[in-house]
Amino acid sequence: MALWELGDLSTPWCVNVAATLRVAHHIRDGHEEIGALAAAAHADRDALHRLMRHLARRGMFVEAPPGRFTLNEAAQEFLDDVALAGLDLDGFGGRLAGAWNTLLTAVRTGKCAYHEVFGRSYWEDLEAHPAIAAQFDLLMGPGHGTPDPEILVNPADWQDVRSVVDVGGGTGMQLAAILRAHPRVQGTLLDLPRALAQSAAVFEAAGVADRVRVAGQSFFDPLPAGADVYVMKNVLADWPDAEATAILRRCAEAARPNGRVVAFTGAGPGEEADPELLMLILVGGRGRTLEEFREMGHTAGLEMTAHGRQPCGRYIAEFRPV
């Protein structure tokens, strides 16, 4: 029975469907009786009643009296727009749900099979569907993770830094934190144009807009050359080894002869790399240890010169071109 319960998909699917139908929002708006709730959600009354009773038995929502549902503490999370972005089966959540259907192929082959379900790679799929990409950006935008302005192993090294390129920096939260902490530094935010859409507001709010420019491009193309530091956070784990090495190689080319490349790893000496399966099924990526980063950097023309743990808790590796 325990194994069956662990493999039972009913609760996860009910959570996704409840999120997609916005049932918590309808209950908040006064549609507590199941008939009224079904009408507001454009759902079948009996089928929705079964779903809601299942969730109530699992501690989400309260049914009292029979046929009337109210919000409890667990159900309040259904009102969080960021959480809903990852659960909405009509949007980004549907992509996540579909991608899990490829897990067997991924485990058998060690390769991402996302394209077999959706006809494109994960990143190409986001570019082709702006509404789904917007939900992804909401998940990855402000509030996702904690920006860390002290990205160098040795804080004293900032005395020699005048320019930073944030490679794949998304909305610019990380770069904004760096520029606020280091007023003499100029910054470049590099990512695809879609990902940069929110960056102007981020930089204005941080008071650093006059010290930053954006480069809307792929990081597989040649990068702006001559900066003192090229930083990558939450980037390399999204790619298989060959592509991650290619990104590092572009950084090495741009950083020559005297620049540095800083990459966040997540796993230090003696620690296990992140086993997250979602990276595998979506993009074929994976977490890596510090030694794996050292070898990858060597292949890309970089020598690891320092490493350490940052306040955010993740390990970083500093490289210099060879």
Side-chain angles (χ1 to χ4, degrees), residues 60-198:
M60 291 169 277
F61 303 100
V62 174
E63 184 181 20
R68 181 172 294 275
F69 293 89
T70 56
L71 303 179
N72 57 9
E73 183 176 354
Q76 291 289 337
E77 296 189 39
F78 283 92
L79 300 174
D80 183 341
D81 288 339
V82 176
L84 287 185
L87 297 172
D88 183 358
L89 293 173
D90 288 334
F92 184 69
R95 289 308 199 257
L96 295 182
W100 281 111
N101 288 324
T102 71
L103 180 60
L104 179 58
T105 298
V107 172
R108 280 175 168 165
T109 65
K111 297 179 180 179
C112 172
Y114 184 95
H115 62 284
E116 294 182 0
V117 176
F118 298 108
R120 300 180 177 91
S121 74
Y122 174 73
W123 301 114
E124 292 170 340
D125 196 30
L126 290 186
E127 290 297 316
H129 296 90
I132 293 174
Q135 290 185 316
F136 169 76
D137 291 340
L138 181 62
L139 285 167
M140 297 295 108
H144 174 71
T146 303
D148 180 6
E150 305 302 332
I151 59 170
L152 301 181
V153 173
N154 183 0
D157 288 347
W158 279 106
Q159 297 298 318
D160 300 324
V161 175
R162 293 295 179 269
S163 57
V164 173
V165 176
D166 191 347
V167 180
T171 62
M173 294 291 288
Q174 174 68 37
L175 184 58
I178 292 171
L179 298 182
R180 287 193 65 179
H182 305 286
R184 294 183 299 174
V185 173
Q186 301 286 320
T188 298
L189 176 65
L190 186 147
D191 212 319
L192 295 176
R194 174 192 58 76
L196 300 177
Q198 301 179 51

Side-chain angles (χ1 to χ4, degrees), residues 7 16 24 28 33 49 86 95 124 138 146 195 198 203 209 215 235 240 248 263 268 296 302 319:
N16 278 267
R28 181 197 60 188
E33 191 275 324
H49 199 181
R95 289 308 199 257
E124 292 170 340
L138 181 62
T146 303
Q198 301 179 51
F203 294 134
V235 171
L248 281 172
M296 187 176 293
L302 295 166
F319 300 88

